[in-house]
């Protein structure tokens, strides 16, 4: 069961310049996957002669002779990486690879929908599930760093819940007062620890 916070989450949290540039519509989101976004629909590069195109638009600066489509809207040539036809800034093409759910990485950084994720470590970056990801140092939700979450001990539970050695999180937000050591997700957006019950990340009354 997808967490309640997942509906349209990918659209809402996408970088503003991407929402404006690509004109995402409600109809698009209804056709997408469990997080409101299915990257499988974002393939569509074409190499023709000396040019590369993405959905009918020329990809400026792309080198056709070395261009490869990577899936999930990503592609690369010998010098640059691209997302939905736009250059991925600061990406290292030689080690750039697509992951899942809009994530990608190179040897130095991780990226979400073509935008570098601040503080990420590409070499150890791993996508988990339900929008969560982690590296050796931090954890992330929908491409954004989760407060002080500890990546090395970060695990995803269910229904949008996750935890590290110290705290519990719901849809990327810290669950105040929850005890990570004993916390477990028990279904239907409920969770519990030794002392309290929680619903959608909030302590029940």
């Amino acid at each position: 069961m997808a967490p309640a916070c997942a509906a349209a989450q990918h659209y809402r949290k996408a970088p503003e310049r991407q929402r404006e540039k690509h004109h995402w519509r409600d109809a698009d989101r209804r056709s997408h996957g469990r997080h409101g976004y299915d990257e499988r629909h974002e393939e569509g590069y074409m190499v023709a002669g000396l040019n590369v195109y993405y959905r009918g638009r020329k990809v400026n600066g792309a080198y056709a002779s070395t261009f490869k489509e990577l899936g999930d809207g990503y592609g690369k040539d010998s010098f640059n990486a691209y997302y939905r036809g736009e250059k991925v800034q600061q990406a290292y093409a030689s080690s750039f690879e697509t992951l899942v759910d809009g994530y990608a990485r190179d040897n130095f950084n991780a990226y979400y929908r073509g935008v570098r994720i601040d503080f990420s470590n590409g070499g150890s970056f791993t996508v988990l599930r339900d929008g969560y990801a982690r590296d050796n140092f931090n954890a992330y939700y929908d491409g954004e760093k989760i407060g002080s979450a500890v990546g090395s001990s970060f695990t995803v539970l269910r229904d949008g819940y996750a935890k590290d050695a110290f705290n519990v999180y719901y849809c990327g937000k810290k669950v105040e007062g929850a005890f990570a050591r004993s916390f477990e997700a028990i279904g239907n957006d409920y969770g519990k620890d030794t002392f309290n019950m929680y619903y959608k990340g909030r302590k029940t009354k």
Side-chain angles (χ1 to χ4, degrees):
M1 179 179 178
C5 56
Q9 188 74 277
H10 285 275
Y11 174 76
R12 185 170 64 252
K13 295 174 74 64
E16 186 67 27
R17 67 173 179 83
Q18 289 181 7
R19 283 188 282 157
E20 292 177 351
K21 190 173 188 65
H22 299 291
H23 306 290
W24 293 2
R25 301 184 299 274
D26 289 339
D28 294 326
R29 298 200 299 279
R30 285 196 295 271
S31 69
H32 290 157
R34 61 181 297 184
H35 287 289
Y37 191 76
D38 187 344
E39 293 284 357
R40 290 174 299 179
H41 296 283
E42 297 306 321
E43 299 180 4
Y45 287 99
M46 174 61 68
V47 177
L50 298 177
N51 296 312
V52 178
Y53 300 87
Y54 179 78
R55 293 192 169 187
R57 293 185 296 110
K58 182 179 177 181
V59 180
N60 293 325
Y63 286 81
S65 61
T66 60
F67 189 87
K68 296 179 180 180
E69 183 167 359
L70 303 177
D72 290 357
Y74 287 100
K76 73 175 184 177
D77 58 27
S78 296
F79 303 98
N80 298 297
Y82 305 88
Y83 178 72
R84 302 179 80 183
E86 300 292 330
K87 181 179 176 180
V88 178
Q89 300 297 322
Q90 300 177 312
Y92 291 83
S94 60
S95 59
F96 191 91
E97 62 179 344
T98 303
L99 301 174
V100 294
D101 296 337
Y103 287 103
R105 70 178 184 180
D106 58 30
N107 285 344
F108 302 96
N109 299 292
Y111 306 83
Y112 183 66
R113 294 190 198 169
V115 177
R116 185 175 64 87
I117 302 173
D118 291 339
F119 309 106
S120 62
N121 178 273
S124 62
F125 192 89
T126 302
V127 179
L128 302 174
R129 66 177 190 276
D130 295 343
Y132 287 104
R134 74 179 183 188
D135 57 30
N136 286 345
F137 308 99
N138 302 302
Y140 309 87
Y141 183 72
D142 278 356
E144 296 186 3
K145 182 176 177 293
I146 303 173
S148 58
V150 180
S152 59
S153 63
F154 192 88
T155 58
V156 177
L157 303 175
R158 58 180 292 187
D159 296 335
Y161 287 103
K163 69 178 183 178
D164 59 21
F166 306 99
N167 296 296
V168 177
Y169 308 89
Y170 178 74
C171 295
K173 304 294 183 182
K174 181 180 176 181
V175 179
E176 296 296 336
F179 286 82
R181 182 183 295 271
S182 61
F183 187 91
E184 57 181 320
I186 57 178
N188 294 326
D189 297 317
Y190 283 94
K192 69 175 184 177
D193 60 24
T194 302
F195 305 100
N196 297 293
M197 287 278 293
Y198 304 84
Y199 179 66
K200 292 186 177 181
R202 294 186 178 184
K203 188 183 300 184
T204 58
K205 297 180 180 179

